[in-house]
Amino acid sequence: MLFRRNRVLLGKSQQGGNPPQIEKNDFNLNISRDISTAVGEKEISLETPHAELVEIEKAIQKATAKHNEFLKELGKPLLLSTDFKTSGK
């Protein structure tokens, strides 16, 4: 798509801009598009969430073991263990 502006054809990939914008860039129309203007993300510590997940996993294993005791008494099939260390994963 081409636009006619002051008798100059500007292609879709060319930097056009309006006069105030051009003046703001010190009349430089060769602005690099490779410069990232993204704001960096805040670094977070993974130690706290990891510790919480470890505690949750321990609680799940304890509840599963207790549930399996009841299932064993009833002669029902046991639930699979969530202990990843013993399952080889």
Side-chain angles (χ1 to χ4, degrees):
M1 178 180 242
L2 297 176
F3 299 97
R4 184 174 287 278
R5 201 177 270 170
N6 295 333
R7 296 186 177 193
V8 177
L9 292 177
L10 297 176
K12 190 174 183 181
S13 64
Q14 292 176 317
Q15 180 75 21
N18 52 27
Q21 183 182 17
I22 295 171
E23 188 174 336
K24 178 182 165 191
N25 292 323
D26 295 326
F27 302 97
N28 181 8
L29 299 179
N30 297 319
I31 300 170
S32 174
R33 294 174 187 219
D34 296 333
I35 299 173
S36 174
T37 57
V39 178
E41 293 183 12
K42 179 182 173 185
E43 290 187 22
I44 59 170
S45 171
L46 297 178
E47 293 173 5
T48 303
H50 176 71
E52 291 172 359
L53 289 172
V54 168
E55 290 302 314
I56 291 170
E57 183 63 32
K58 287 179 183 178
I60 290 171
Q61 290 175 3
K62 186 177 177 181
T64 301
K66 186 172 183 177
H67 192 79
N68 278 339
E69 288 176 19
F70 294 128
L71 291 173
K72 189 175 183 179
E73 288 178 15
L74 296 171
K76 301 291 182 181
L78 303 180
L79 296 175
L80 295 176
S81 174
T82 59
D83 184 11
F84 295 113
K85 293 177 185 175
T86 59
S87 65
K89 290 183 182 177

